[in-house]
């Protein structure tokens, strides 16, 4: 079946959704059209020489969580020919194809941002990572990575993500995998591709670079695609002077706001160098209560190692992460007596820095909803290319949900997803 003569995409999908008998007004189908998915697939050369078009296969795979189906095999066993007549091999070959999914994702997001007209102030990049556990030791390039939530090492992938937080919502912008050197004894040999090829870029960067280097590369790509923000937020794990200095050297880079950890790093204050805990002991009696936050705060200027640029450090007493405050009935973990935040924008007040930093929690919510609702990390294909595709589609689902959330004024992407599933279930 040749694509050039293939006219069944509208017959199998759009006509079923819009014909007089079903009257199924698909929000996702409209979103695909508004965001020009077919155009960007073509522009990024995501095409097939024969068989079903990539746009046909993508919309079916995109809709699987809405149909409450976990695998392609489950969809094919349902025999829903009103949706698609293709068999599972067509989907598997498409998922394992070496396509430019990163370029495609950027083009879709730029189209989305242009339609929502995101020109309002206070936009934030958020850098965060999570672990995608995998059960199969035969999956390409799986390794043992440390999960901070479970506090143990598990088999899977580490995923570093860059997101953009605006007044309209949170949107995943870019992601990179990271492999550790510790692998399962019975796993096959690593498959690391040539970085000059489309199929080898992801695996090469995951094996070659550290998480900090991957974060810098993602920021450079986002800025290169004319996606900008005022600040970049990250937690204490990424708060190394090397990363902060590398971000400040990027042309057009945003200011940094992050939480600090007490390490061997020494900051210069009043001509002397102190570790973070030593610096707190020096100024702890100067903490004053803030009316805006209710916390005891102290703001001071210091110099970081490797840079002559002055930055602001804010010490806070009584601070709790948003999760500990918002979940009722959950046993709260012990909170530190004091915390510290760093900001490279010396114009901001102490309370403003902390309020900006708490917006980082949107990345945690994104990971949680993508894993629970949108099948992030659930794909069990042995092919690493299929894993990259599955992650791309999960984040695109989240972006489209936020796009619909903005246009339909629902309370949250999670509520919109449940409403979306209920509407689909009535029709299927």
């Amino acid at each position: 079946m040749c694509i050039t003569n293939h006219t069944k995409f509208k017959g199998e999908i759009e006509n079923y959704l819009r014909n007089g008998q079903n009257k199924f007004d698909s929000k996702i189908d409209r979103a695909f059209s508004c965001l020009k998915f077919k155009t960007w697939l073509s522009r990024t050369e995501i095409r097939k020489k024969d068989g079903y078009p990539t746009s046909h296969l993508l919309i079916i795979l995109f809709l699987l969580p809405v149909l409450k189906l976990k695998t392609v095999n489950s969809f094919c066993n349902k025999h829903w020919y009103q949706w698609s007549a293709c068999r599972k091999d067509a989907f598997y070959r498409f998922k394992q194809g070496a396509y430019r999914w990163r370029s495609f994702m950027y083009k879709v997001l730029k189209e989305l941002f242009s339609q929502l007209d995101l020109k309002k102030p206070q936009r934030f990049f958020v850098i965060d990572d999570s672990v995608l556990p995998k059960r199969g030791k035969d999956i390409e390039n799986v390794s043992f990575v440390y999960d901070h939530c479970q506090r143990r090492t598990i088999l899977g992938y580490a995923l570093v993500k860059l997101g953009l937080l605006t007044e309209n919502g949170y949107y995943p912008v870019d992601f990179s995998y990271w492999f550790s050197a510790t692998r399962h004894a019975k796993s096959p040999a690593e498959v690391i591709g040539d970085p000059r090829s489309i199929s080898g870029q992801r695996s090469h960067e995951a094996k070659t670079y550290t998480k900090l280097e991957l974060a810098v590369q993602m920021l450079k790509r986002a800025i290169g695609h004319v996606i900008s923000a005022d600040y970049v937020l990250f937690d204490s794990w990424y708060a190394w002077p090397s990363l902060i200095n590398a971000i400040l050297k990027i042309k057009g880079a945003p200011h940094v706001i992050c939480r600090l950890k007490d390490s061997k790093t020494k900051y210069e204050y009043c001509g002397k160098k102190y570790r973070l805990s030593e610096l707190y002991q020096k100024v702890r009696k100067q903490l004053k209560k803030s009316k805006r936050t209710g916390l005891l705060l102290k703001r001071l200027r210091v110099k970081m190692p490797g840079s002559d640029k002055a930055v602001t450090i804010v010490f806070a007493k009584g601070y709790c992460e948003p999760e500990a405050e918002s979940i009722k009935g959950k046993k709260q973990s012990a909170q530190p007596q004091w915390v510290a935040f760093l900001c490279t924008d010396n114009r901001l007040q102490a309370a403003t820095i902390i309020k900006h930093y708490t917006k980082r929690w949107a990345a945690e919510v994104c990971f949680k909803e993508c894993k629970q609702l949108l099948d992030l990390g659930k794909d069990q294909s042995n092919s690493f290319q299929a894993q990259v595709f599955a992650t791309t589609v999960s984040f695109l689902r989240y972006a489209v949900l936020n796009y619909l959330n903005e246009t339909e004024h629902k309370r949250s992407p999670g509520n919109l997803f449940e409403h979306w599933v209920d509407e689909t279930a009535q029709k299927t």
Side-chain angles (χ1 to χ4, degrees):
M1 187 183 305
C2 182
I3 280 184
T4 55
N5 299 324
H6 184 80
T7 58
K8 276 198 167 186
F9 176 69
K10 287 190 175 181
E12 292 182 2
I13 302 296
E14 295 181 6
N15 287 347
Y16 170 73
L17 301 177
R18 296 176 179 174
N19 63 26
Q21 294 180 354
N22 293 287
K23 294 182 180 178
F24 185 12
D25 189 11
S26 172
K27 297 177 179 61
I28 296 305
D29 182 63
R30 291 203 312 273
F32 264 56
S33 298
C34 293
L35 299 177
K36 302 179 182 179
F37 268 61
K38 293 180 70 174
T39 300
W40 303 131
L41 285 169
S42 178
R43 296 275 180 89
T44 51
E45 299 181 356
I46 301 178
R47 309 188 190 100
K48 293 177 64 183
K49 294 181 179 179
D50 51 47
Y52 287 87
T54 53
S55 53
H56 175 94
L57 301 173
L58 179 60
I59 193 172
I60 297 299
L61 294 171
F62 192 95
L63 285 169
L64 287 184
V66 187
L67 301 173
K68 291 294 185 180
L69 299 175
K70 295 186 178 299
T71 63
V72 168
N73 187 53
S74 300
F75 174 82
C76 294
N77 289 339
K78 292 284 186 180
H79 302 293
W80 282 345
Y81 295 116
Q82 71 270 25
W83 289 88
S84 175
C86 16
R87 307 306 299 161
K88 59 184 181 181
D89 287 346
F91 292 110
Y92 292 153
R93 285 193 295 268
F94 174 61
K95 290 170 62 177
Q96 296 173 15
Y99 297 124
R100 298 166 59 195
W101 290 117
R102 178 175 279 152
S103 298
F104 172 72
M105 187 169 175
Y106 269 112
K107 290 186 180 299
V108 171
L109 289 173
K110 287 178 69 176
E111 180 67 30
L112 185 151
F113 294 155
S114 67
Q115 291 192 22
L116 293 180
D117 193 23
L118 305 182
K119 296 181 180 179
K120 297 179 181 179
Q122 300 303 320
R123 295 167 54 158
F124 302 87
F125 280 134
V126 184
I127 298 172
D128 200 9
D129 64 85
S130 184
V131 173
L132 305 181
K134 296 295 177 183
R135 295 182 180 178
K137 61 181 180 295
D138 293 330
I139 297 176
E140 280 184 359
N141 301 328
V142 290
S143 59
F144 286 105
V145 291
Y146 185 77
D147 189 341
H148 292 275
C149 296
Q150 300 185 31
R151 297 183 180 180
R152 66 185 183 92
T153 301
I154 62 175
L155 187 67
Y157 299 113
L159 188 70
V160 184
K161 174 172 63 68
L162 175 69
L164 179 67
L165 178 65
T166 72
E167 292 186 1
N168 298 313
Y170 178 83
Y171 299 90
V173 172
D174 200 351
F175 69 89
S176 295
Y177 282 86
W178 180 78
F179 308 148
S180 77
T182 308
R183 307 184 70 244
H184 195 283
K186 295 184 178 179
S187 292
E190 284 183 321
V191 182
I192 307 300
D194 189 332
R196 297 169 295 181
S197 66
I198 297 173
S199 60
Q201 288 176 353
R202 296 272 191 173
S203 58
H204 180 268
E205 68 184 19
K207 181 65 178 178
T208 307
Y209 301 108
T210 65
K211 291 183 182 180
L212 303 184
E213 292 170 333
L214 292 173
V216 173
Q217 290 176 7
M218 287 190 290
L219 273 174
K220 288 181 178 179
R221 277 195 297 268
I223 295 171
H225 283 85
V226 201
I227 299 176
S228 60
D230 302 291
Y231 300 94
V232 56
L233 315 176
F234 45 85
D235 61 14
S236 59
W237 194 94
Y238 287 89
W240 295 98
S242 58
L243 176 62
I244 298 171
N245 290 330
I247 292 174
L248 295 177
K249 292 178 182 178
I250 301 174
K251 185 177 180 180
H255 285 288
V256 172
I257 297 178
C258 64
R259 181 170 169 174
L260 294 175
K261 55 187 172 185
D262 188 19
S263 61
K264 294 181 180 179
T265 303
K266 291 189 176 182
Y267 304 90
E268 184 178 337
Y269 177 63
C270 296
K272 295 184 179 180
K273 294 184 178 180
Y274 302 90
R275 288 180 53 175
L276 195 63
S277 56
E278 296 171 344
L279 194 56
Y280 172 74
Q281 293 299 326
K282 184 174 181 63
V283 302
R284 65 186 182 88
K285 293 183 180 180
Q286 303 174 24
L287 270 68
K288 295 182 180 180
K289 189 169 184 178
S290 166
K291 293 181 179 179
R292 292 176 60 190
T293 63
L295 305 175
L296 296 174
L297 304 178
K298 173 59 181 175
R299 179 178 180 272
L300 59 154
R301 294 273 187 92
V302 300
K303 287 185 179 180
M304 286 194 313
S307 175
D308 293 331
K309 180 179 174 62
V311 298
T312 298
I313 287 183
V314 175
F315 288 103
K317 198 170 182 179
Y319 174 83
C320 295
E321 288 288 347
E323 182 186 34
E325 296 174 354
S326 60
I327 300 179
K328 296 181 179 180
K330 181 180 179 181
K331 184 178 179 181
Q332 298 184 6
S333 57
Q335 297 293 325
Q337 291 185 353
W338 58 272
V339 295
F341 303 91
L342 181 143
C343 179
T344 59
D345 187 356
N346 296 318
R347 300 168 300 174
L348 297 185
Q349 297 298 319
T352 304
I353 292 172
I354 293 178
K355 284 188 174 294
H356 282 350
Y357 174 79
T358 56
K359 292 179 171 62
R360 188 197 66 84
W361 198 252
E364 304 286 355
V365 175
C366 174
F367 271 128
K368 179 181 178 181
E369 293 190 331
C370 283
K371 288 180 178 181
Q372 292 182 351
L373 302 176
L374 307 179
D375 290 351
L376 176 62
K378 301 295 179 61
D379 194 289
Q380 290 298 319
S381 301
N382 286 344
S383 167
F384 179 67
Q385 294 294 335
Q387 297 292 334
V388 171
F389 167 81
T391 301
T392 302
V393 173
S394 294
F395 286 149
L396 283 175
R397 290 178 188 131
Y398 193 85
V400 170
L401 275 171
N402 268 323
Y403 172 78
L404 294 174
N405 180 38
E406 174 65 16
T407 56
E408 297 188 8
H409 308 290
K410 300 292 180 182
R411 289 186 300 171
S412 70
N415 291 340
L416 178 58
F417 177 83
E418 295 299 335
H419 178 71
W420 181 21
V421 169
D422 291 341
E423 280 192 350
T424 308
Q426 293 174 8
K427 302 299 179 183
T428 56

